[in-house]
Amino acid sequence: MSDSAPRMPATGGDPDVVSVARFLASTRAEGPGERTAVWVQGCTIHCPGCFNPHMWSFRGGAPVGAADLVARILDAGTSGLTLLGGEPFDQATALARVAAGVRATGRSVMTFTGYTTDELRQAVDAGRADVAGLLAETDLLVAGPFRADQLDRVRPWVGSTNQEFVLLTDRIAGSVAELTGDPDRLEVTVDAAGGIAVNGWAELDALDALLDGLGERVRHAPS
Ligand code: SF4
């Protein structure tokens, strides 16, 4: 889909329930500082080359009540929440409630979206209170679809150079230039059973090489 074709976030869904694809209590690879990351299930944008196509379908994911999700995020004790996916604005009503609960404690909210700022503005102008609500509870917005032909090898957290950082409040200290001066990070977690989970950003070739080597080490680790 091209950037020029206007898209409108999906509507519907339970306004009190978030479809969660993945919950990570603590990470330093999904935004500034130590944050809790929630990947949501479902995305209508379908960027070619997306790293999370398994999060496109609105089937699957774990339904979590907004209040329960807020409690889990606060229990994690981090400085803020990062919403990514999947597409947060395709379930904006429930996520605005979650974000409001998190922000009420003084924490910050960073939201990734495949919609452009123009598309979100058009949705708000068209009366979409759900979109306006999630924007109102977002401190740092990262907007725009992933473009596989415009890989970003400089800024952290984003995949392509067209994606735009927008500070919507001053709750997260620093300018966009200062925030995006951090290096990209990749976090790899190996559980006791040898299961490997990855988050953060790396180009596929580098990730494949890392996981191949890591798999060898896990297979040969002394018990
Ligand atoms: S908006 Fe995000 S989750 Fe959706 S297709 Fe694009 S990169 Fe993938």
Side-chain angles (χ1 to χ4, degrees), residues 7-55:
R7 295 161 295 207
M8 197 63 92
T11 55
D14 188 322
D16 271 321
V17 176
V18 177
S19 182
V20 175
R22 185 180 179 193
F23 180 93
L24 191 55
S26 174
T27 175
R28 290 188 172 274
E30 307 293 354
E34 182 188 9
R35 313 186 68 77
T36 301
V38 176
W39 286 260
V40 299
Q41 183 69 40
C43 175
T44 54
I45 298 178
H46 297 186
C47 309
C50 167
F51 279 59
N52 291 331
H54 55 293
M55 296 181 190

Side-chain angles (χ1 to χ4, degrees), residues 18-131:
V18 177
S19 182
V20 175
R22 185 180 179 193
F23 180 93
L24 191 55
S26 174
T27 175
R28 290 188 172 274
E30 307 293 354
E34 182 188 9
R35 313 186 68 77
T36 301
V38 176
W39 286 260
V40 299
Q41 183 69 40
C43 175
T44 54
I45 298 178
H46 297 186
C47 309
C50 167
F51 279 59
N52 291 331
H54 55 293
M55 296 181 190
W56 289 1
S57 171
F58 285 87
R59 293 192 192 127
V64 183
D68 289 346
L69 189 52
V70 171
R72 285 184 68 186
I73 293 161
L74 300 187
D75 274 354
T78 60
S79 66
L81 165 68
T82 297
L83 295 170
L84 58 179
E87 173 50 54
F89 280 92
D90 285 345
Q91 40 187 316
T93 302
L95 287 174
R97 292 178 184 180
V98 172
V102 170
R103 292 189 80 251
T105 67
R107 293 166 169 83
S108 64
V109 172
M110 177 179 185
T111 304
F112 284 82
T113 178
Y115 296 104
T116 64
T117 51
D118 279 350
E119 288 167 337
L120 295 176
R121 201 170 300 122
Q122 286 173 26
V124 172
D125 289 347
R128 288 286 300 271
D130 57 336
V131 174

Side-chain angles (χ1 to χ4, degrees), residues 135-219:
L135 284 172
E137 299 296 349
T138 294
D139 300 290
L140 175 59
L141 182 74
V142 185
F146 173 63
R147 297 293 303 265
D149 59 345
Q150 297 176 26
L151 287 184
D152 192 327
R153 296 182 169 86
V154 176
R155 299 178 302 169
W157 314 316
V158 289
S160 55
T161 55
N162 62 303
Q163 293 171 312
E164 184 184 4
F165 287 82
V166 188
L167 274 169
L168 298 176
T169 76
D170 58 7
R171 186 168 291 199
I172 296 177
S175 64
V176 166
E178 288 164 344
L179 289 168
T180 57
D182 279 353
D184 239 336
R185 286 168 187 254
L186 185 73
E187 285 182 354
V188 180
T189 308
V190 183
D191 65 25
I196 299 173
V198 177
N199 67 286
W201 171 260
E203 290 184 43
L204 272 181
D205 288 350
L207 187 57
D208 285 348
L210 172 72
L211 293 181
D212 280 353
L214 191 60
E216 279 302 306
R217 284 197 288 281
V218 170
R219 275 192 291 281

